[in-house]
PDB file of all heavy atoms in Angstrom:
ATOM      1  N   THR A 210       0.576   2.171  -0.856  1.00 51.00           N
ATOM      2  CA  THR A 210       1.386   3.405  -0.926  1.00 51.00           C
ATOM      3  C   THR A 210       0.535   4.608  -0.585  1.00 51.00           C
ATOM      4  O   THR A 210      -0.667   4.542  -0.526  1.00 51.00           O
ATOM      5  CB  THR A 210       1.988   3.584  -2.324  1.00 51.00           C
ATOM      6  OG1 THR A 210       0.901   3.705  -3.239  1.00 51.00           O
ATOM      7  CG2 THR A 210       2.852   2.412  -2.697  1.00 51.00           C
ATOM      8  N   GLY A 211       1.151   5.727  -0.399  1.00 54.00           N
ATOM      9  CA  GLY A 211       0.457   6.970  -0.069  1.00 54.00           C
ATOM     10  C   GLY A 211       0.905   7.508   1.254  1.00 54.00           C
ATOM     11  O   GLY A 211       1.714   6.896   1.963  1.00 54.00           O
ATOM     12  N   LEU A 212       0.348   8.659   1.607  1.00 55.00           N
ATOM     13  CA  LEU A 212       0.729   9.289   2.838  1.00 55.00           C
ATOM     14  C   LEU A 212       0.171   8.565   4.051  1.00 55.00           C
ATOM     15  O   LEU A 212       0.785   8.524   5.097  1.00 55.00           O
ATOM     16  CB  LEU A 212       0.291  10.728   2.865  1.00 55.00           C
ATOM     17  CG  LEU A 212       0.959  11.637   1.818  1.00 55.00           C
ATOM     18  CD1 LEU A 212       0.330  13.030   1.858  1.00 55.00           C
ATOM     19  CD2 LEU A 212       2.454  11.737   2.071  1.00 55.00           C
ATOM     20  N   LEU A 213      -1.037   8.038   3.900  1.00 73.00           N
ATOM     21  CA  LEU A 213      -1.686   7.355   5.014  1.00 73.00           C
ATOM     22  C   LEU A 213      -1.854   5.873   4.717  1.00 73.00           C
ATOM     23  O   LEU A 213      -2.171   5.516   3.599  1.00 73.00           O
ATOM     24  CB  LEU A 213      -3.056   7.976   5.298  1.00 73.00           C
ATOM     25  CG  LEU A 213      -3.048   9.445   5.703  1.00 73.00           C
ATOM     26  CD1 LEU A 213      -4.492   9.938   5.857  1.00 73.00           C
ATOM     27  CD2 LEU A 213      -2.328   9.635   7.014  1.00 73.00           C
ATOM     28  N   ALA A 214      -1.644   5.058   5.706  1.00 77.00           N
ATOM     29  CA  ALA A 214      -1.865   3.629   5.555  1.00 77.00           C
ATOM     30  C   ALA A 214      -2.997   3.234   6.495  1.00 77.00           C
ATOM     31  O   ALA A 214      -3.123   3.775   7.585  1.00 77.00           O
ATOM     32  CB  ALA A 214      -0.610   2.876   5.868  1.00 77.00           C
ATOM     33  N   MET A 215      -3.802   2.294   6.045  1.00 82.00           N
ATOM     34  CA  MET A 215      -4.894   1.849   6.860  1.00 82.00           C
ATOM     35  C   MET A 215      -4.655   0.355   7.183  1.00 82.00           C
ATOM     36  O   MET A 215      -4.298  -0.444   6.267  1.00 82.00           O
ATOM     37  CB  MET A 215      -6.218   2.001   6.118  1.00 82.00           C
ATOM     38  CG  MET A 215      -7.419   1.635   6.889  1.00 82.00           C
ATOM     39  SD  MET A 215      -8.938   2.184   6.113  1.00 82.00           S
ATOM     40  CE  MET A 215      -8.684   1.819   4.399  1.00 82.00           C
ATOM     41  N   PHE A 216      -4.828   0.005   8.432  1.00 83.00           N
ATOM     42  CA  PHE A 216      -4.605  -1.354   8.856  1.00 83.00           C
ATOM     43  C   PHE A 216      -5.924  -1.941   9.393  1.00 83.00           C
ATOM     44  O   PHE A 216      -6.638  -1.288  10.126  1.00 83.00           O
ATOM     45  CB  PHE A 216      -3.550  -1.469   9.944  1.00 83.00           C
ATOM     46  CG  PHE A 216      -2.179  -1.104   9.446  1.00 83.00           C
ATOM     47  CD1 PHE A 216      -1.751   0.174   9.303  1.00 83.00           C
ATOM     48  CD2 PHE A 216      -1.299  -2.149   9.106  1.00 83.00           C
ATOM     49  CE1 PHE A 216      -0.505   0.504   8.812  1.00 83.00           C
ATOM     50  CE2 PHE A 216      -0.036  -1.857   8.612  1.00 83.00           C
ATOM     51  CZ  PHE A 216       0.365  -0.534   8.480  1.00 83.00           C
ATOM     52  N   VAL A 217      -6.241  -3.167   9.006  1.00 82.00           N
ATOM     53  CA  VAL A 217      -7.393  -3.889   9.488  1.00 82.00           C
ATOM     54  C   VAL A 217      -6.867  -5.187  10.085  1.00 82.00           C
ATOM     55  O   VAL A 217      -6.188  -5.978   9.402  1.00 82.00           O
ATOM     56  CB  VAL A 217      -8.435  -4.162   8.394  1.00 82.00           C
ATOM     57  CG1 VAL A 217      -9.559  -5.032   8.906  1.00 82.00           C
ATOM     58  CG2 VAL A 217      -8.962  -2.858   7.811  1.00 82.00           C
ATOM     59  N   ASP A 218      -7.130  -5.417  11.338  1.00 85.00           N
ATOM     60  CA  ASP A 218      -6.620  -6.618  12.035  1.00 85.00           C
ATOM     61  C   ASP A 218      -5.093  -6.708  11.930  1.00 85.00           C
ATOM     62  O   ASP A 218      -4.538  -7.786  11.749  1.00 85.00           O
ATOM     63  CB  ASP A 218      -7.266  -7.890  11.532  1.00 85.00           C
ATOM     64  CG  ASP A 218      -8.737  -7.948  11.879  1.00 85.00           C
ATOM     65  OD1 ASP A 218      -9.126  -7.369  12.930  1.00 85.00           O
ATOM     66  OD2 ASP A 218      -9.504  -8.588  11.144  1.00 85.00           O
ATOM     67  N   GLY A 219      -4.430  -5.559  11.976  1.00 85.00           N
ATOM     68  CA  GLY A 219      -2.981  -5.546  11.982  1.00 85.00           C
ATOM     69  C   GLY A 219      -2.333  -5.679  10.628  1.00 85.00           C
ATOM     70  O   GLY A 219      -1.108  -5.730  10.519  1.00 85.00           O
ATOM     71  N   ARG A 220      -3.138  -5.708   9.562  1.00 86.00           N
ATOM     72  CA  ARG A 220      -2.552  -5.861   8.209  1.00 86.00           C
ATOM     73  C   ARG A 220      -2.963  -4.659   7.341  1.00 86.00           C
ATOM     74  O   ARG A 220      -4.082  -4.163   7.458  1.00 86.00           O
ATOM     75  CB  ARG A 220      -3.090  -7.143   7.555  1.00 86.00           C
ATOM     76  CG  ARG A 220      -2.481  -8.367   8.178  1.00 86.00           C
ATOM     77  CD  ARG A 220      -2.944  -9.626   7.481  1.00 86.00           C
ATOM     78  NE  ARG A 220      -3.571 -10.423   8.535  1.00 86.00           N
ATOM     79  CZ  ARG A 220      -4.575 -11.245   8.375  1.00 86.00           C
ATOM     80  NH1 ARG A 220      -5.074 -11.429   7.170  1.00 86.00           N
ATOM     81  NH2 ARG A 220      -5.074 -11.902   9.352  1.00 86.00           N
ATOM     82  N   PRO A 221      -2.069  -4.213   6.448  1.00 85.00           N
ATOM     83  CA  PRO A 221      -2.421  -3.112   5.549  1.00 85.00           C
ATOM     84  C   PRO A 221      -3.645  -3.480   4.697  1.00 85.00           C
ATOM     85  O   PRO A 221      -3.838  -4.636   4.285  1.00 85.00           O
ATOM     86  CB  PRO A 221      -1.219  -2.975   4.640  1.00 85.00           C
ATOM     87  CG  PRO A 221      -0.084  -3.630   5.388  1.00 85.00           C
ATOM     88  CD  PRO A 221      -0.713  -4.710   6.237  1.00 85.00           C
ATOM     89  N   SER A 222      -4.531  -2.513   4.488  1.00 83.00           N
ATOM     90  CA  SER A 222      -5.728  -2.750   3.758  1.00 83.00           C
ATOM     91  C   SER A 222      -6.020  -1.598   2.804  1.00 83.00           C
ATOM     92  O   SER A 222      -5.860  -0.436   3.137  1.00 83.00           O
ATOM     93  CB  SER A 222      -6.927  -2.891   4.710  1.00 83.00           C
ATOM     94  OG  SER A 222      -8.123  -3.009   3.989  1.00 83.00           O
TER      95      SER A 222
END
Side-chain angles (χ1 to χ4, degrees):
T210 62
L212 296 175
L213 298 176
M215 184 167 41
F216 290 82
V217 176
D218 292 331
R220 289 183 238 150
S222 175

